[in-house]
Amino acid sequence: MKHLLFSLAAGAALAAPAVAQQGAQTGSLIERSRGQAGTPETIGYAPDAWERMTVAVNIDGRGPYRFIVDTGAERTVISSELARSLGLSSTGDVTLASVSDVRRVPSVHIGELGVGRRTLSGIQAPALAEYNIGAQGMLGVDSLISQRVTFDFTRRELTLTNSHIDDDRYAPGEIVVRGRTRAGRMLLTNAYLDGQRITVIIDTGSQISVGNAALRRRLERARRLGQTRIVTLTGVTGDIVTAEYSVARRLQVGGVHIDDLPIAFSEVRLFALLDLEDRPAILLGMDALRLFDRVSIDFANRRVRLAPPTSLSSPPTRMAGLAPLRAR
């Protein structure tokens, strides 16, 4: 049985009233340097053991610390070990949606979190075990909502650009997919998996792509469900759920086709939070995203840009997605 890492830190809307009592903000990253305001900023990143992206952040002027960039998580999270070493003050318990359920977890106050020349102030961050996060913390969409975030997998770079700066210049072969946002996440509805229309959520915090039970039922009825085996998914709170691992023949997003995509079927909590329990949906994880040269997510303008490998021809582009799973 394979053991896979799957991050989910959702439920800011369920947070305890301590948010207001501590004066926490819910804004996104803002630029400190007015002279450079509006210009894109490129930051190097390092992949962790599960190929997720980690970037250097500063907390209250100290650091750097490695945080995972997680577009599937609503909240920014810090490891309890780092919070203790920094002496961050407790802000009480908050309600957090994990992989399998909703639970109360401790939280701390971060005065200022810095990524490059951008900062986010007044954060009430859930404090979770570093072993379960897989890093010293995690940047959720609460910190990225006003940014266009570009992941360059060939150069291992992350570029942040203010979303209000529109850029209609596209690289050759780049595919633009328009979506919509819900609870801060980017949802793409112009997508199909083995002939079934689905909703795609871009999730850079998950090692593997995860489909919901509604998608599994559709595939089974259409006799498109391949052979399955059992795997386990571990969430950031340490909870573990079982899933059925299979391989989809083809995922189509815009003009891109990904063939032989590994997918784990499980009714993780995020599908319910996004009101997608009864509609076929998939969390597109790092196993699929790292097949592209670049992926750009513009939350404010509800637009995703996909740059297939430069060695491939113009769209429709087909990429082979089958890769060995990494055991934890």
Side-chain angles (χ1 to χ4, degrees):
M1 181 184 294
K2 292 291 186 181
H3 195 55
L4 306 171
L5 196 64
F6 175 84
S7 67
L8 173 60
L14 301 175
V19 175
Q21 295 168 5
Q22 296 294 331
Q25 289 184 208
T26 57
S28 179
L29 291 167
I30 59 172
E31 293 187 77
R32 286 178 294 206
S33 174
R34 293 184 180 179
Q36 295 177 298
T39 59
E41 179 181 15
T42 298
I43 304 166
Y45 77 80
D48 69 359
W50 298 276
E51 295 297 332
R52 300 174 304 169
M53 294 157 289
T54 66
V55 295
V57 308
N58 293 318
I59 295 177
D60 295 336
R62 290 177 283 182
Y65 307 109
R66 304 306 301 185
F67 274 48
I68 295 164
V69 181
D70 189 352
T71 59
E74 188 173 0
R75 305 192 66 153
T76 293
V77 168
I78 189 171
S79 75
S80 51
E81 294 88 343
L82 179 57
R84 281 195 298 270
S85 70
L86 294 175
L88 300 182
S89 59
S90 171
T91 53
D93 289 350
V94 294
T95 302
L96 191 73
S98 63
V99 168
S100 60
D101 58 19
V102 176
R103 61 183 63 187
R104 302 284 290 175
V105 298
S107 69
V108 296
H109 177 75
I110 299 176
E112 183 178 87
L113 183 148
V115 182
R117 63 173 185 262
R118 289 163 166 78
T119 62
L120 180 64
S121 300
I123 307 168
Q124 184 186 28
L128 307 173
E130 184 171 319
Y131 175 78
N132 294 326
I133 300 173
Q136 292 172 294
M138 190 167 63
L139 290 176
V141 294
D142 57 343
S143 61
L144 303 171
I145 198 67
S146 68
Q147 304 293 312
R148 180 166 69 247
V149 187
T150 301
F151 307 98
D152 191 319
F153 297 107
T154 59
R155 297 181 179 179
R156 293 191 175 184
E157 293 177 342
L158 172 75
T159 299
L160 299 174
T161 309
N162 291 341
S163 282
H164 71 269
I165 301 174
D166 199 11
D167 186 1
D168 291 327
R169 295 170 298 174
Y170 305 122
E174 193 173 56
I175 297 163
V176 180
V177 183
R178 296 191 179 274
R180 53 193 175 90
T181 56
R182 183 179 298 171
R185 278 74 162 201
M186 180 70 72
L187 278 60
L188 307 179
T189 55
N190 183 25
Y192 295 84
L193 189 139
D194 287 347
Q196 306 299 314
R197 185 157 189 168
I198 64 171
T199 298
V200 172
I201 305 104
I202 306 294
D203 187 358
T204 60
S206 179
Q207 175 194 357
I208 189 173
S209 299
V210 179
N212 64 359
L215 175 58
R216 188 198 182 284
R217 290 192 296 269
R218 286 278 188 92
L219 293 173
E220 188 172 34
R221 284 199 299 267
R223 297 183 179 180
R224 292 294 189 94
L225 182 65
Q227 185 177 359
T228 63
R229 60 189 174 97
I230 300 299
V231 297
T232 59
L233 305 177
T234 301
V236 291
T237 61
D239 56 329
I240 297 175
V241 298
T242 59
E244 290 183 275
Y245 168 80
S246 187
V247 176
R249 296 178 181 86
R250 173 169 294 177
L251 170 67
Q252 177 183 342
V253 181
V256 177
H257 298 162
I258 300 178
D259 293 332
D260 302 323
L261 176 68
I263 181 171
F265 293 100
S266 183
E267 201 60 51
V268 299
R269 186 67 183 174
L270 182 57
F271 292 122
L273 292 172
L274 297 177
D275 195 26
L276 291 172
E277 285 181 298
D278 300 321
R279 286 176 284 179
I282 183 174
L283 299 168
L284 197 62
M286 287 301 298
D287 59 333
L289 295 173
R290 65 175 179 244
L291 296 172
F292 296 93
D293 279 356
R294 290 184 313 282
V295 174
S296 177
I297 307 172
D298 190 333
F299 291 97
N301 293 310
R302 301 183 296 280
R303 189 161 52 195
V304 173
R305 302 182 188 188
L306 305 171
T310 53
S311 60
L312 298 180
S313 60
S314 300
T317 299
R318 293 178 174 83
M319 301 185 295
L322 186 59
L325 292 176
R326 295 175 179 269
R328 188 177 180 192

